Amino acid sequence: MKIMQALALTLFSFLLQSNVFGISIVYNGFECLNAVDTNDPTPKGTPVQSKFEVIEDAGDGVYRLSLTGGIPRFINNNHDVCIDNATAIGYSGIPTVDFLPQPLESINATAYFNGQELVIVVSSLYTDLSARRNPFSSFNTSLIFAFTNTLIFEFNPQASSFSLKKVIRNRGFTNTSGSTNSTTPFFETVLPSFNEEVQDKPKILTPLANIEFLLN
């Protein structure tokens, strides 16, 4: 126990130093077969790496990270694990610059590490790019989903790895539809939590499989 505590303190002290940039944790897996269905953890044969890299030390154990590759996707009571590189990273776009939103290759995340537990929060926006104008001046905006994933890890000093213990996942939803010929020109749907049904609660997920992120 004393050896493990000493190793944990060594890593914690190292991370508290100024030269933390480039430190990363990685998990090697396979892309999800169904990219956008967060309830389907079936992997396909395409290898991908989930990687969190430190880009800023904000002090007091808080770090800004860059996520590439996506995050592990799993559901309760199922051993399957795939890496979600679609909804976990999502889209971004400014009309005057990008015309349409574009899928991102990486996204920022925020972490807190106390030497034993690591908590990472990732927020992303995913769109189906389905915006359209119909006859008689009716219209619909794209379906836009706001995802927040909170990953809770336990540090394993002997293996220099972080074991994923829990994921708290929430999906919000926004959409606008209407008609310029209507007395009510548009309707807005805004749902902070829409995981399985309207106004439900965030999901708390526990992996059955061992998901280890190795320290690089």
Side-chain angles (χ1 to χ4, degrees):
M1 179 61 71
K2 290 183 178 180
I3 294 176
M4 293 180 64
Q5 290 176 341
L7 287 170
L9 289 172
T10 299
L11 175 63
F12 190 40
S13 298
F14 178 65
L15 289 173
L16 287 176
Q17 295 174 9
S18 60
N19 187 25
V20 298
F21 307 107
I23 293 177
S24 62
I25 59 173
V26 298
Y27 170 77
N28 293 307
F30 297 93
E31 287 185 10
C32 296
L33 181 64
N34 189 335
V36 299
D37 184 358
T38 57
N39 289 319
D40 184 2
T42 306
K44 66 179 182 180
T46 306
V48 65
Q49 184 180 76
S50 173
K51 180 178 181 180
F52 290 99
E53 183 175 357
V54 177
I55 58 175
E56 180 186 344
D57 179 358
D60 296 323
V62 178
Y63 301 88
R64 298 190 190 278
L65 312 175
S66 173
L67 167 65
T68 55
I71 64 172
R73 176 194 291 172
F74 55 88
I75 58 177
N76 288 329
N77 304 314
N78 189 318
H79 282 89
D80 287 343
V81 179
C82 63
I83 293 181
D84 174 4
N85 63 351
T87 70
I89 294 181
Y91 282 71
S92 178
I94 301 172
T96 56
V97 177
D98 308 295
F99 182 55
L100 290 176
Q102 301 296 319
L104 294 170
E105 294 184 358
S106 65
I107 194 169
N108 288 345
T110 306
Y112 174 73
F113 181 56
N114 64 7
Q116 184 174 7
E117 290 184 329
L118 172 67
V119 178
I120 298 177
V121 179
V122 186
S123 297
S124 59
L125 289 173
Y126 184 86
T127 174
D128 65 355
L129 297 177
S130 63
R132 64 189 184 276
R133 180 180 292 277
N134 301 313
F136 308 108
S137 298
S138 63
F139 67 91
N140 280 282
T141 64
S142 300
L143 305 183
I144 299 175
F145 297 93
F147 288 89
T148 297
N149 289 283
T150 302
L151 295 80
I152 302 173
F153 299 86
E154 182 179 336
F155 177 51
N156 181 351
Q158 292 179 320
S160 295
S161 68
F162 291 83
S163 179
L164 184 58
K165 296 301 182 182
K166 297 279 185 184
V167 171
I168 302 171
R169 187 176 70 209
N170 189 55
R171 183 184 73 168
F173 172 71
T174 65
N175 176 249
T176 301
S177 63
S179 172
T180 56
N181 294 328
S182 172
T183 55
T184 303
F186 57 84
F187 296 94
E188 292 181 314
T189 301
V190 180
L191 296 172
S193 189
F194 183 30
N195 296 287
E196 297 291 345
E197 58 187 18
V198 173
Q199 297 179 341
D200 58 5
K201 295 179 175 61
K203 290 186 174 182
I204 301 174
L205 305 172
T206 304
L208 290 182
N210 186 35
I211 302 176
E212 294 285 334
F213 279 70
L214 299 179
L215 181 67
N216 273 5

